[in-house]
Amino acid sequence: MQGRSLPFRVATLVTGLLECLGFAGVLFGWTSLVFVFKKQHYFEELCELDAGSLGNATGLDECRARDERFSLIFTLASFTINFMTFPTGYIFDRFKTTVARLIAIFLYTSATLTIAFTSADSAVLLFLAMPMLAVGGIQFLITNLQIGNLFGKHRSTIITMYNGAFDSSSAVFLIIKLLYEQGVTIKASFLFISVCSAWHVGRTLLLMPRGHIPYPLPANYRYGLCSRDSPPEEDKKVAESEKLELQSKEFLSLKKETPGQQQAPGSFWSHTFSRRFAWHVVWLSVIQLWHYLFIGTLNSLLNNLASRDSALVSTYTNAFAVTQFFGVLCAPWNGLLMDRLKHKYQEEAKRTGAVAKAAALRSVVPSLTLTSLLSLGFAVCASIPVLPLQYATFILQVVSRSFLYGCNAAFLTLAFPSEHFGKLFGLVMALSAVVSLLQFPLFTLIKGTLQNDPLYVNLMLVLLTLLTFIHPFLVNRECQRKESPREVA
C-alpha cells in the first residue's frame, strides 16, 4: 500500500515545491518590481511636487517622496505577511486545507489582476494589491508545510526546503523585470500569473487533502485523488487504531525518559510570558527587521551608490534577485543539520539518562547561533557603503534568511507543547511584524534628518544584532542543566 501511494506523495511534494518556488514569496523580489514601476512612471508626480517645493530639480532617480512611497508599500505588505499569519493559521486549523487554499487563491488572483490593470494613474492600488499578494502567498506556504508529514524522518528537511523555496520565489519579479526589458509588458506578465490560478485549484482538488495531513502518519492514509479508492470502514478503523497506538507509545516513552518528572504542559499564557519565548521574539524580530529594511530600501541604496546610473542599478538589482533564488538550495542544509544533531543528542540522552526533550531542543542551538552569525556578517557588510561589497551582502543575506524561518519553526516545535504550537507561531510572527513597522520611520530618518547617510542607523542595528546571540546561549545553558543525569534520591 505504501509503495502504491509513494509516487502520488512524491507528486504532491514536487508540485508543492514548485508552487512555493513560483508564487509563495514573490513579494521579496520587490526591488526588481520597483525598478519596473519607476520605468513606468509610478508616483512620478511626487517628484514633480518635490522639485516645485524645493525650487530645484532633484532628479527622478533621487526622488525622496517617491522612494518613501515605495518603502511604505513594502512596509505595509511585509507587515501584513507576518501579522496575518495568526488569523490565516486559525483558518487553516479551523476550516482545513481546501477552504484555506481557496481563500489563498482568491486573494492571490485578485492581487495579480489588480497589479496587471494598474497604471501610473492608479498606482495607489498597490497599497491594496501587495498585502493581498503577501497573504495569499504565505497561505500557500502554510498549507504546503504539512507535506513534510508524509515523509517521516525527512520531515524537518522538507519543511526547511519549502521555506527556502518561499525565499527563492522572489526571483519571479526578476523574470518579470527581464521580460519587461525585452518588451513584454507588466500587464501581460501578471495576467499570466493570474491564469496559473487554474493550476492552484487543480492541485488543491487532486493532490492535497481536504483536511490535514496527520503526524505521525497512520497506515493506509490516503488523500486527494487517492481518496476515491479509500479503504472500507473496517480498514479506516484499523488505521485509526494504529495511529492511536503509535501516539500512546510515544507518550509512554516520554514517561520512561523522565520518571517522576511529568508535568502539565502549562497554559498558553504561561509560555507566552516565559523568558524563552521573549528572547526568541527578540531574536526573530531583530534579524527580520534587518532583512526587511534592506529589501525595502535596496533600490534607493543602489541609486545612491551607483550615482544614479540606471544601467549599473539594473545590474546589481539582477544580481540580488539571482542570489535570492539560491535560498531553496541553502535552507535544506539547515534541516539536515538539525535532523542529524537531534538524532545524535537523543542517542546520547538514552545512554546517559538525560532528558530526551532537552536533548532534542539542544539540536537547534547550533542553527540559532549560525543564523545570528550569518546575520551579523550580513549587517556589517550592508553597513559599508562600497558598491562591489554588495555582492557579499547579497550572499550573506540570502543564506541567513534561508536559515532564519526554518530555525524559528524548529525552535517553537521543540521548545513548547505541540498543542500551543499554532498559537505561539502566529503570535511570534505577529509580534515580529509589529517590530518590522520600524523600517519605514528608519528609512524616513535616513532620507531626511541623516541626509542619505545611514551610518548611525546601521551601527544601531549591528549592535542590536549582537543581542541575538543571547538567545542561543540561554537555550544551550538551559539544555545542559536539564540534560544532567537525575540524581537518585
Side-chain angles (χ1 to χ4, degrees):
M1 189 67 66
Q2 175 73 15
R4 192 174 71 177
S5 65
L6 182 59
F8 187 79
R9 295 180 185 182
V10 171
T12 301
L13 171 67
V14 173
T15 55
L17 185 64
L18 292 174
E19 185 171 79
C20 290
L21 193 60
F23 303 92
V26 294
L27 171 70
F28 297 105
W30 178 246
T31 304
S32 298
L33 200 59
V34 166
F35 187 89
V36 177
F37 285 153
K38 285 186 174 182
K39 293 295 183 183
Q40 288 285 293
H41 311 293
Y42 282 40
F43 301 119
E44 197 167 278
E45 68 278 3
L46 298 175
C47 301
E48 295 169 359
L49 290 174
D50 264 5
S53 63
L54 293 174
N56 56 358
T58 58
L60 293 182
D61 286 329
E62 196 185 3
C63 174
R64 172 186 167 186
R66 183 170 62 170
D67 285 342
E68 287 182 350
R69 185 63 56 89
F70 282 127
S71 177
L72 183 58
I73 292 172
F74 180 77
T75 298
L76 179 62
S78 58
F79 166 79
T80 306
I81 202 172
N82 280 357
F83 192 79
M84 291 300 292
T85 299
F86 188 77
T88 54
Y90 174 79
I91 291 171
F92 177 54
D93 287 343
R94 177 68 177 82
F95 299 104
K96 308 299 191 298
T97 301
T98 299
V99 173
R101 285 183 59 82
L102 290 177
I103 293 173
I105 293 168
F106 172 76
L107 291 172
Y108 202 90
T109 308
S110 299
T112 53
L113 286 174
T114 301
I115 298 171
F117 290 101
T118 297
S119 65
D121 294 330
S122 57
V124 70
L125 289 175
L126 294 176
F127 281 99
L128 173 66
M130 298 313 295
M132 290 172 63
L133 189 75
V135 175
I138 193 65
Q139 192 74 327
F140 283 148
L141 175 65
I142 290 172
T143 55
N144 277 309
L145 287 178
Q146 61 181 324
I147 293 173
N149 296 346
L150 296 173
F151 297 91
K153 62 181 181 179
H154 303 295
R155 183 172 175 240
S156 295
T157 304
I158 290 172
I159 288 174
T160 52
M161 181 171 64
Y162 274 179
N163 277 286
F166 176 83
D167 294 339
S168 296
S169 63
S170 58
V172 169
F173 281 171
L174 169 64
I175 296 173
I176 291 175
K177 173 182 177 292
L178 295 176
L179 290 174
Y180 175 80
E181 292 173 342
Q182 296 302 315
V184 179
T185 64
I186 192 171
K187 179 179 180 180
S189 295
F190 276 95
L191 283 177
F192 175 78
I193 296 176
S194 302
V195 171
C196 289
S197 295
W199 183 73
H200 297 311
V201 173
R203 186 170 178 272
T204 299
L205 299 177
L206 300 178
L207 291 173
M208 294 295 287
R210 303 290 181 268
H212 294 139
I213 299 175
Y215 184 81
L217 201 68
N220 300 324
Y221 175 73
R222 293 176 180 175
Y223 64 94
L225 187 63
C226 282
S227 61
R228 294 180 181 176
D229 303 319
S230 56
E233 283 301 316
E234 292 183 5
D235 290 347
K236 288 184 179 179
K237 290 179 181 178
V238 171
E240 193 65 30
S241 65
E242 288 180 356
K243 178 185 176 183
L244 292 174
E245 181 181 354
L246 184 57
Q247 290 174 334
S248 65
K249 285 181 179 178
E250 289 188 347
F251 177 73
L252 289 173
S253 65
L254 181 61
K255 289 183 70 175
K256 290 178 181 178
E257 287 168 358
T258 57
Q261 298 294 326
Q262 289 301 303
Q263 298 177 351
S267 68
F268 166 69
W269 293 111
S270 67
H271 295 295
T272 299
F273 291 108
S274 66
R275 185 181 69 175
R276 179 188 291 183
F277 183 79
W279 275 108
H280 185 67
V281 171
V282 172
W283 179 84
L284 177 65
S285 299
V286 171
I287 296 176
Q288 182 176 260
L289 175 61
W290 247 120
H291 289 294
Y292 283 3
L293 181 64
F294 182 74
I295 294 171
T297 62
L298 181 59
N299 182 265
S300 175
L301 173 67
L302 291 178
N303 270 298
N304 290 333
L305 295 180
S307 301
R308 298 179 296 282
D309 184 336
S310 181
L312 197 55
V313 171
S314 178
T315 299
Y316 276 87
T317 300
N318 293 350
F320 174 70
V322 168
T323 56
Q324 296 299 294
F325 180 77
F326 289 95
V328 70
L329 302 179
C330 300
W333 291 104
N334 188 26
L336 287 170
L337 175 64
M338 287 187 287
D339 283 338
R340 282 179 174 265
L341 289 176
K342 182 179 178 182
H343 177 74
K344 174 186 175 182
Y345 292 148
Q346 286 184 329
E347 287 296 319
E348 290 178 358
K350 288 179 182 179
R351 291 195 303 269
T352 61
V355 179
K357 189 170 181 63
L361 179 58
R362 185 182 161 202
S363 67
V364 81
V365 171
S367 292
L368 291 171
T369 307
L370 183 58
T371 303
S372 293
L373 188 61
L374 289 167
S375 299
L376 180 62
F378 156 64
V380 171
C381 286
S383 302
I384 301 175
V386 177
L387 193 58
L389 189 62
Q390 298 310 307
Y391 288 119
T393 305
F394 297 162
I395 294 171
L396 287 169
Q397 192 270 342
V398 71
V399 177
S400 63
R401 187 164 174 262
S402 66
F403 275 49
L404 177 64
Y405 295 107
C407 286
N408 173 49
F411 176 79
L412 293 174
T413 300
L414 296 171
F416 301 101
S418 59
E419 56 264 38
H420 299 313
F421 172 76
K423 297 185 288 292
L424 290 170
F425 182 81
L427 182 60
V428 74
M429 295 302 286
L431 291 173
S432 68
V434 174
V435 175
S436 72
L437 288 174
L438 291 173
Q439 62 184 296
F440 182 69
L442 288 175
F443 178 76
T444 305
L445 177 65
I446 293 170
K447 282 289 186 179
T449 306
L450 299 179
Q451 298 180 342
N452 265 342
D453 183 5
L455 176 64
Y456 294 109
V457 171
N458 289 339
L459 287 176
M460 178 189 68
L461 290 175
V462 168
L463 292 175
L464 284 175
T465 304
L466 290 173
L467 288 178
T468 64
F469 287 93
I470 297 176
H471 179 43
F473 171 76
L474 292 176
V475 173
N476 186 61
R477 192 175 66 173
E478 181 182 352
C479 290
Q480 288 178 339
R481 187 171 62 248
K482 289 185 177 180
E483 278 183 318
S484 300
R486 302 291 178 182
E487 298 271 342
V488 179

